[in-house]
Amino acid sequence: MTFLPPLYYQPRSALDPAAAGNDAATTAWVNAVVADGGAVSGTQTGRVNTLIVALKAASLFTGHVWLYGGESDVSQAEIDIIGLTHHTVNGGMTLAAGGYTGNGTTGHIDSGIAPNSESQDSIAVGAYNRVAGAAGNATLMAITNAVTLVPGFAGAFAITDLNDNAFGTVAGGSARLGRWIMSRTASNLITLYKEGASVGTVASASNAPSASNLFFFAENNGAGGTDFSDDQIAATWIMPGRDATQSANFDAAISGYMTAWGI
């Protein structure tokens, strides 16, 4: 009789995503991170799983969400938890537990995703900016004449631009710090949400979505970038347009993840 080595009889580790009873999307993300050369602890697996389950329960598990805050693992940060797409880091960027920090001169992230991946009149973008104060450039994301989100511009308002080529301003976005969602759900209106609540709207007619990739920490001007930020960003997202209820639910889910990490 032939006996198999004891290894074949070992139960799955409690840290194995599949063994822990996690959502299939969590397992797929963990596997993608490991295949990319990264690592995911059992604690991080559980926290991401809680986020994914919350997004699915609210029917919000669509689009792309990158989590920079957490375990300071580059592969975790570069692979979005929904579409498993990879971003590309350029220039001087620093990754720490609180997220990526730009250098204000060259550092930026190419999301690899263009606005035309969503609909002309149904798109939302945003980020969690962890820097307060009026100094510096708070460009969270931008494409020339297509998309711009700059909260706390000169400490006076947020600059908003989403599938159009005309800057709007929202007085309720005068502070840089916060979890921001800029959403278009109609051909004539953009709404800016902070921590899940609307802080203002801009009446703006939509144009055909840009085919250029959205940059984080800078504006994609087609020539390497401009208006570079030195802020710290803990997460970014690109997704279909979100109404008030959806924005509140999305923010609650992201907030829960960040709170678990003390971010």
Side-chain angles (χ1 to χ4, degrees), residues 89-104:
V89 175
N90 300 276
M93 302 289 292
T94 302
L95 180 63
Y100 269 114
T101 300
N103 64 3

Side-chain angles (χ1 to χ4, degrees), residues 101-243:
T101 300
N103 64 3
T105 55
T106 58
H108 65 284
I109 293 174
D110 182 341
S111 71
I113 304 296
N116 65 3
S117 65
E118 302 295 344
S119 301
Q120 177 172 330
D121 298 324
S122 179
I123 181 173
V125 299
Y128 179 14
N129 188 355
R130 300 194 65 236
V131 174
N137 176 15
T139 299
L140 299 187
M141 56 194 66
I143 303 170
T144 301
N145 295 329
V147 177
T148 305
L149 177 54
V150 185
F153 183 81
F157 49 75
I159 297 176
T160 59
D161 175 17
L162 187 57
N163 284 359
D164 58 18
N165 59 4
F167 288 145
T169 61
V170 176
S174 60
R176 295 163 73 180
L177 177 68
R179 297 181 303 275
W180 301 94
I181 298 174
M182 180 172 61
S183 179
R184 179 184 286 280
T185 57
S187 63
N188 61 348
L189 191 71
I190 297 170
T191 303
L192 182 64
Y193 299 91
K194 179 180 180 179
E195 268 83 78
S198 172
V199 294
T201 61
V202 173
S204 174
S206 66
N207 292 336
S210 173
S212 298
N213 288 351
L214 185 62
F215 280 8
F216 304 134
F217 291 91
E219 175 184 322
N220 182 356
N221 65 349
T226 187
D227 292 335
F228 298 95
S229 173
D230 59 1
D231 283 0
Q232 184 179 70
I233 298 177
T236 55
W237 39 84
I238 305 170
M239 52 194 176
R242 302 305 190 200
D243 62 22

